[in-house]
PDB file of all heavy atoms in Angstrom:
ATOM      1  N   ASN A  49      -7.220  92.613 218.707  1.00  0.00           N
ATOM      2  CA  ASN A  49      -6.004  92.846 217.930  1.00  0.00           C
ATOM      3  C   ASN A  49      -5.139  93.926 218.583  1.00  0.00           C
ATOM      4  O   ASN A  49      -3.919  93.765 218.717  1.00  0.00           O
ATOM      5  CB  ASN A  49      -6.379  93.220 216.498  1.00  0.00           C
ATOM      6  CG  ASN A  49      -5.201  93.330 215.559  1.00  0.00           C
ATOM      7  OD1 ASN A  49      -5.246  94.119 214.614  1.00  0.00           O
ATOM      8  ND2 ASN A  49      -4.153  92.568 215.743  1.00  0.00           N
ATOM      9  N   VAL A  50      -5.757  95.010 219.047  1.00  0.00           N
ATOM     10  CA  VAL A  50      -5.012  96.083 219.717  1.00  0.00           C
ATOM     11  C   VAL A  50      -4.354  95.556 220.992  1.00  0.00           C
ATOM     12  O   VAL A  50      -3.173  95.822 221.250  1.00  0.00           O
ATOM     13  CB  VAL A  50      -5.914  97.295 220.024  1.00  0.00           C
ATOM     14  CG1 VAL A  50      -5.208  98.308 220.924  1.00  0.00           C
ATOM     15  CG2 VAL A  50      -6.372  97.974 218.727  1.00  0.00           C
ATOM     16  N   LEU A  51      -5.084  94.798 221.778  1.00  0.00           N
ATOM     17  CA  LEU A  51      -4.514  94.240 223.015  1.00  0.00           C
ATOM     18  C   LEU A  51      -3.328  93.325 222.712  1.00  0.00           C
ATOM     19  O   LEU A  51      -2.304  93.376 223.395  1.00  0.00           O
ATOM     20  CB  LEU A  51      -5.578  93.479 223.809  1.00  0.00           C
ATOM     21  CG  LEU A  51      -6.649  94.328 224.490  1.00  0.00           C
ATOM     22  CD1 LEU A  51      -7.713  93.429 225.113  1.00  0.00           C
ATOM     23  CD2 LEU A  51      -6.036  95.250 225.536  1.00  0.00           C
ATOM     24  N   ARG A  52      -3.440  92.511 221.683  1.00  0.00           N
ATOM     25  CA  ARG A  52      -2.337  91.607 221.324  1.00  0.00           C
ATOM     26  C   ARG A  52      -1.111  92.396 220.859  1.00  0.00           C
ATOM     27  O   ARG A  52       0.013  92.043 221.180  1.00  0.00           O
ATOM     28  CB  ARG A  52      -2.778  90.613 220.247  1.00  0.00           C
ATOM     29  CG  ARG A  52      -3.917  89.750 220.708  1.00  0.00           C
ATOM     30  CD  ARG A  52      -3.798  88.293 220.630  1.00  0.00           C
ATOM     31  NE  ARG A  52      -2.665  87.778 219.931  1.00  0.00           N
ATOM     32  CZ  ARG A  52      -1.847  86.875 220.460  1.00  0.00           C
ATOM     33  NH1 ARG A  52      -2.047  86.441 221.677  1.00  0.00           N
ATOM     34  NH2 ARG A  52      -0.849  86.390 219.779  1.00  0.00           N
ATOM     35  N   ILE A  53      -1.346  93.453 220.112  1.00  0.00           N
ATOM     36  CA  ILE A  53      -0.234  94.303 219.660  1.00  0.00           C
ATOM     37  C   ILE A  53       0.470  94.908 220.868  1.00  0.00           C
ATOM     38  O   ILE A  53       1.703  94.885 220.960  1.00  0.00           O
ATOM     39  CB  ILE A  53      -0.740  95.399 218.700  1.00  0.00           C
ATOM     40  CG1 ILE A  53      -1.181  94.776 217.364  1.00  0.00           C
ATOM     41  CG2 ILE A  53       0.318  96.480 218.478  1.00  0.00           C
ATOM     42  CD1 ILE A  53      -1.976  95.710 216.471  1.00  0.00           C
ATOM     43  N   LEU A  54      -0.315  95.435 221.811  1.00  0.00           N
ATOM     44  CA  LEU A  54       0.277  96.061 223.004  1.00  0.00           C
ATOM     45  C   LEU A  54       0.992  95.033 223.878  1.00  0.00           C
ATOM     46  O   LEU A  54       2.048  95.311 224.442  1.00  0.00           O
ATOM     47  CB  LEU A  54      -0.797  96.800 223.799  1.00  0.00           C
ATOM     48  CG  LEU A  54      -1.352  98.056 223.123  1.00  0.00           C
ATOM     49  CD1 LEU A  54      -2.580  98.561 223.866  1.00  0.00           C
ATOM     50  CD2 LEU A  54      -0.276  99.135 223.024  1.00  0.00           C
ATOM     51  N   LYS A  55       0.434  93.843 223.977  1.00  0.00           N
ATOM     52  CA  LYS A  55       1.091  92.781 224.749  1.00  0.00           C
ATOM     53  C   LYS A  55       2.453  92.468 224.151  1.00  0.00           C
ATOM     54  O   LYS A  55       3.434  92.250 224.877  1.00  0.00           O
ATOM     55  CB  LYS A  55       0.226  91.520 224.767  1.00  0.00           C
ATOM     56  CG  LYS A  55       0.864  90.361 225.508  1.00  0.00           C
ATOM     57  CD  LYS A  55       0.022  89.106 225.404  1.00  0.00           C
ATOM     58  CE  LYS A  55       0.728  87.940 226.075  1.00  0.00           C
ATOM     59  NZ  LYS A  55       0.042  86.675 225.794  1.00  0.00           N
ATOM     60  N   GLY A  56       2.537  92.462 222.845  1.00  0.00           N
ATOM     61  CA  GLY A  56       3.793  92.182 222.162  1.00  0.00           C
ATOM     62  C   GLY A  56       4.879  93.213 222.426  1.00  0.00           C
ATOM     63  O   GLY A  56       6.063  92.946 222.224  1.00  0.00           O
ATOM     64  N   GLN A  57       4.487  94.363 222.929  1.00  0.00           N
ATOM     65  CA  GLN A  57       5.449  95.424 223.255  1.00  0.00           C
ATOM     66  C   GLN A  57       6.157  95.162 224.587  1.00  0.00           C
ATOM     67  O   GLN A  57       7.083  95.882 224.939  1.00  0.00           O
ATOM     68  CB  GLN A  57       4.735  96.774 223.321  1.00  0.00           C
ATOM     69  CG  GLN A  57       4.311  97.297 221.973  1.00  0.00           C
ATOM     70  CD  GLN A  57       5.493  97.515 221.066  1.00  0.00           C
ATOM     71  OE1 GLN A  57       5.693  96.780 220.129  1.00  0.00           O
ATOM     72  NE2 GLN A  57       6.292  98.522 221.352  1.00  0.00           N
ATOM     73  N   GLN A  58       5.692  94.173 225.331  1.00  0.00           N
ATOM     74  CA  GLN A  58       6.305  93.770 226.598  1.00  0.00           C
ATOM     75  C   GLN A  58       6.516  94.948 227.546  1.00  0.00           C
ATOM     76  O   GLN A  58       7.598  95.152 228.094  1.00  0.00           O
ATOM     77  CB  GLN A  58       7.606  93.034 226.342  1.00  0.00           C
ATOM     78  CG  GLN A  58       7.399  91.792 225.517  1.00  0.00           C
ATOM     79  CD  GLN A  58       8.675  91.072 225.181  1.00  0.00           C
ATOM     80  OE1 GLN A  58       9.767  91.539 225.452  1.00  0.00           O
ATOM     81  NE2 GLN A  58       8.527  89.909 224.576  1.00  0.00           N
ATOM     82  N   GLY A  59       5.450  95.732 227.708  1.00  0.00           N
ATOM     83  CA  GLY A  59       5.492  96.840 228.662  1.00  0.00           C
ATOM     84  C   GLY A  59       5.952  98.158 228.086  1.00  0.00           C
ATOM     85  O   GLY A  59       5.894  99.179 228.769  1.00  0.00           O
ATOM     86  N   ASN A  60       6.421  98.162 226.857  1.00  0.00           N
ATOM     87  CA  ASN A  60       6.833  99.408 226.216  1.00  0.00           C
ATOM     88  C   ASN A  60       5.615 100.082 225.591  1.00  0.00           C
ATOM     89  O   ASN A  60       4.773  99.411 224.999  1.00  0.00           O
ATOM     90  CB  ASN A  60       7.889  99.144 225.134  1.00  0.00           C
ATOM     91  CG  ASN A  60       9.171  98.618 225.733  1.00  0.00           C
ATOM     92  OD1 ASN A  60       9.675  99.158 226.707  1.00  0.00           O
ATOM     93  ND2 ASN A  60       9.691  97.549 225.159  1.00  0.00           N
ATOM     94  N   PRO A  61       5.523 101.394 225.689  1.00  0.00           N
ATOM     95  CA  PRO A  61       4.363 102.096 225.137  1.00  0.00           C
ATOM     96  C   PRO A  61       4.404 102.167 223.612  1.00  0.00           C
ATOM     97  O   PRO A  61       5.464 101.993 223.004  1.00  0.00           O
ATOM     98  CB  PRO A  61       4.480 103.490 225.743  1.00  0.00           C
ATOM     99  CG  PRO A  61       5.933 103.665 226.016  1.00  0.00           C
ATOM    100  CD  PRO A  61       6.460 102.302 226.351  1.00  0.00           C
ATOM    101  N   MET A  62       3.251 102.413 223.029  1.00  0.00           N
ATOM    102  CA  MET A  62       3.116 102.621 221.586  1.00  0.00           C
ATOM    103  C   MET A  62       2.243 103.833 221.346  1.00  0.00           C
ATOM    104  O   MET A  62       1.375 104.136 222.163  1.00  0.00           O
ATOM    105  CB  MET A  62       2.435 101.425 220.909  1.00  0.00           C
ATOM    106  CG  MET A  62       3.232 100.170 220.841  1.00  0.00           C
ATOM    107  SD  MET A  62       2.368  98.913 219.866  1.00  0.00           S
ATOM    108  CE  MET A  62       2.839  99.400 218.217  1.00  0.00           C
ATOM    109  N   THR A  63       2.423 104.461 220.211  1.00  0.00           N
ATOM    110  CA  THR A  63       1.509 105.520 219.800  1.00  0.00           C
ATOM    111  C   THR A  63       0.334 104.887 219.061  1.00  0.00           C
ATOM    112  O   THR A  63       0.421 103.742 218.603  1.00  0.00           O
ATOM    113  CB  THR A  63       2.203 106.521 218.859  1.00  0.00           C
ATOM    114  OG1 THR A  63       2.567 105.836 217.648  1.00  0.00           O
ATOM    115  CG2 THR A  63       3.421 107.155 219.515  1.00  0.00           C
ATOM    116  N   VAL A  64      -0.732 105.638 218.923  1.00  0.00           N
ATOM    117  CA  VAL A  64      -1.891 105.144 218.176  1.00  0.00           C
ATOM    118  C   VAL A  64      -1.488 104.876 216.727  1.00  0.00           C
ATOM    119  O   VAL A  64      -1.905 103.882 216.125  1.00  0.00           O
ATOM    120  CB  VAL A  64      -3.068 106.136 218.260  1.00  0.00           C
ATOM    121  CG1 VAL A  64      -4.208 105.716 217.344  1.00  0.00           C
ATOM    122  CG2 VAL A  64      -3.576 106.240 219.698  1.00  0.00           C
ATOM    123  N   LEU A  65      -0.654 105.737 216.162  1.00  0.00           N
ATOM    124  CA  LEU A  65      -0.199 105.547 214.785  1.00  0.00           C
ATOM    125  C   LEU A  65       0.559 104.228 214.632  1.00  0.00           C
ATOM    126  O   LEU A  65       0.341 103.479 213.669  1.00  0.00           O
ATOM    127  CB  LEU A  65       0.687 106.717 214.343  1.00  0.00           C
ATOM    128  CG  LEU A  65       1.244 106.629 212.928  1.00  0.00           C
ATOM    129  CD1 LEU A  65       0.117 106.575 211.897  1.00  0.00           C
ATOM    130  CD2 LEU A  65       2.158 107.805 212.644  1.00  0.00           C
ATOM    131  N   ALA A  66       1.428 103.920 215.574  1.00  0.00           N
ATOM    132  CA  ALA A  66       2.178 102.664 215.521  1.00  0.00           C
ATOM    133  C   ALA A  66       1.239 101.460 215.639  1.00  0.00           C
ATOM    134  O   ALA A  66       1.447 100.437 214.970  1.00  0.00           O
ATOM    135  CB  ALA A  66       3.230 102.632 216.623  1.00  0.00           C
ATOM    136  N   ILE A  67       0.213 101.583 216.461  1.00  0.00           N
ATOM    137  CA  ILE A  67      -0.782 100.505 216.587  1.00  0.00           C
ATOM    138  C   ILE A  67      -1.490 100.319 215.252  1.00  0.00           C
ATOM    139  O   ILE A  67      -1.650  99.193 214.770  1.00  0.00           O
ATOM    140  CB  ILE A  67      -1.784 100.809 217.721  1.00  0.00           C
ATOM    141  CG1 ILE A  67      -1.085 100.758 219.077  1.00  0.00           C
ATOM    142  CG2 ILE A  67      -2.959  99.833 217.676  1.00  0.00           C
ATOM    143  CD1 ILE A  67      -1.916 101.288 220.231  1.00  0.00           C
ATOM    144  N   THR A  68      -1.920 101.418 214.648  1.00  0.00           N
ATOM    145  CA  THR A  68      -2.634 101.368 213.366  1.00  0.00           C
ATOM    146  C   THR A  68      -1.807 100.641 212.310  1.00  0.00           C
ATOM    147  O   THR A  68      -2.341  99.823 211.550  1.00  0.00           O
ATOM    148  CB  THR A  68      -2.969 102.793 212.883  1.00  0.00           C
ATOM    149  OG1 THR A  68      -3.772 103.432 213.870  1.00  0.00           O
ATOM    150  CG2 THR A  68      -3.715 102.773 211.566  1.00  0.00           C
ATOM    151  N   GLU A  69      -0.519 100.930 212.270  1.00  0.00           N
ATOM    152  CA  GLU A  69       0.356 100.318 211.276  1.00  0.00           C
ATOM    153  C   GLU A  69       0.454  98.805 211.432  1.00  0.00           C
ATOM    154  O   GLU A  69       0.688  98.096 210.462  1.00  0.00           O
ATOM    155  CB  GLU A  69       1.753 100.935 211.355  1.00  0.00           C
ATOM    156  CG  GLU A  69       1.792 102.369 210.877  1.00  0.00           C
ATOM    157  CD  GLU A  69       3.112 103.067 211.165  1.00  0.00           C
ATOM    158  OE1 GLU A  69       3.991 102.472 211.845  1.00  0.00           O
ATOM    159  OE2 GLU A  69       3.264 104.211 210.715  1.00  0.00           O
ATOM    160  N   ARG A  70       0.249  98.304 212.644  1.00  0.00           N
ATOM    161  CA  ARG A  70       0.383  96.867 212.909  1.00  0.00           C
ATOM    162  C   ARG A  70      -0.943  96.122 212.918  1.00  0.00           C
ATOM    163  O   ARG A  70      -0.955  94.891 213.003  1.00  0.00           O
ATOM    164  CB  ARG A  70       1.102  96.665 214.242  1.00  0.00           C
ATOM    165  CG  ARG A  70       2.526  97.239 214.138  1.00  0.00           C
ATOM    166  CD  ARG A  70       3.507  96.752 215.128  1.00  0.00           C
ATOM    167  NE  ARG A  70       3.409  95.363 215.471  1.00  0.00           N
ATOM    168  CZ  ARG A  70       3.761  94.876 216.659  1.00  0.00           C
ATOM    169  NH1 ARG A  70       4.215  95.679 217.592  1.00  0.00           N
ATOM    170  NH2 ARG A  70       3.663  93.595 216.909  1.00  0.00           N
ATOM    171  N   MET A  71      -2.046  96.847 212.832  1.00  0.00           N
ATOM    172  CA  MET A  71      -3.358  96.203 212.921  1.00  0.00           C
ATOM    173  C   MET A  71      -3.652  95.330 211.699  1.00  0.00           C
ATOM    174  O   MET A  71      -3.234  95.639 210.588  1.00  0.00           O
ATOM    175  CB  MET A  71      -4.455  97.245 213.090  1.00  0.00           C
ATOM    176  CG  MET A  71      -4.434  97.883 214.461  1.00  0.00           C
ATOM    177  SD  MET A  71      -5.856  98.920 214.760  1.00  0.00           S
ATOM    178  CE  MET A  71      -7.141  97.687 214.808  1.00  0.00           C
ATOM    179  N   LEU A  72      -4.397  94.265 211.930  1.00  0.00           N
ATOM    180  CA  LEU A  72      -4.826  93.399 210.838  1.00  0.00           C
ATOM    181  C   LEU A  72      -5.853  94.099 209.964  1.00  0.00           C
ATOM    182  O   LEU A  72      -5.837  93.963 208.746  1.00  0.00           O
ATOM    183  CB  LEU A  72      -5.431  92.101 211.403  1.00  0.00           C
ATOM    184  CG  LEU A  72      -4.485  91.209 212.194  1.00  0.00           C
ATOM    185  CD1 LEU A  72      -5.256  90.068 212.844  1.00  0.00           C
ATOM    186  CD2 LEU A  72      -3.379  90.681 211.303  1.00  0.00           C
ATOM    187  N   ASP A  73      -6.754  94.839 210.580  1.00  0.00           N
ATOM    188  CA  ASP A  73      -7.805  95.565 209.866  1.00  0.00           C
ATOM    189  C   ASP A  73      -7.383  97.029 209.765  1.00  0.00           C
ATOM    190  O   ASP A  73      -7.575  97.807 210.694  1.00  0.00           O
ATOM    191  CB  ASP A  73      -9.133  95.427 210.612  1.00  0.00           C
ATOM    192  CG  ASP A  73     -10.287  96.135 209.937  1.00  0.00           C
ATOM    193  OD1 ASP A  73     -10.075  96.796 208.901  1.00  0.00           O
ATOM    194  OD2 ASP A  73     -11.420  96.036 210.453  1.00  0.00           O
ATOM    195  N   LYS A  74      -6.801  97.391 208.633  1.00  0.00           N
ATOM    196  CA  LYS A  74      -6.267  98.746 208.459  1.00  0.00           C
ATOM    197  C   LYS A  74      -7.368  99.805 208.404  1.00  0.00           C
ATOM    198  O   LYS A  74      -7.100 100.988 208.529  1.00  0.00           O
ATOM    199  CB  LYS A  74      -5.438  98.835 207.174  1.00  0.00           C
ATOM    200  CG  LYS A  74      -4.279  97.868 207.117  1.00  0.00           C
ATOM    201  CD  LYS A  74      -3.235  98.173 208.148  1.00  0.00           C
ATOM    202  CE  LYS A  74      -2.041  97.237 207.975  1.00  0.00           C
ATOM    203  NZ  LYS A  74      -1.214  97.158 209.120  1.00  0.00           N
ATOM    204  N   MET A  75      -8.616  99.391 208.238  1.00  0.00           N
ATOM    205  CA  MET A  75      -9.722 100.336 208.158  1.00  0.00           C
ATOM    206  C   MET A  75     -10.268 100.708 209.543  1.00  0.00           C
ATOM    207  O   MET A  75     -11.115 101.572 209.662  1.00  0.00           O
ATOM    208  CB  MET A  75     -10.863  99.755 207.305  1.00  0.00           C
ATOM    209  CG  MET A  75     -10.450  99.443 205.875  1.00  0.00           C
ATOM    210  SD  MET A  75      -9.803 100.872 204.989  1.00  0.00           S
ATOM    211  CE  MET A  75     -11.285 101.836 204.824  1.00  0.00           C
TER     212      MET A  75
END
Side-chain angles (χ1 to χ4, degrees):
N49 187 211
V50 170
L51 288 174
R52 299 234 351 128
I53 290 167
L54 291 169
K55 178 184 176 189
Q57 288 299 108
Q58 300 177 353
N60 295 313
M62 290 186 83
T63 64
V64 173
L65 179 60
I67 292 169
T68 301
E69 290 170 354
R70 297 200 38 209
M71 289 189 68
L72 296 172
D73 181 357
K74 302 294 184 199
M75 300 302 291

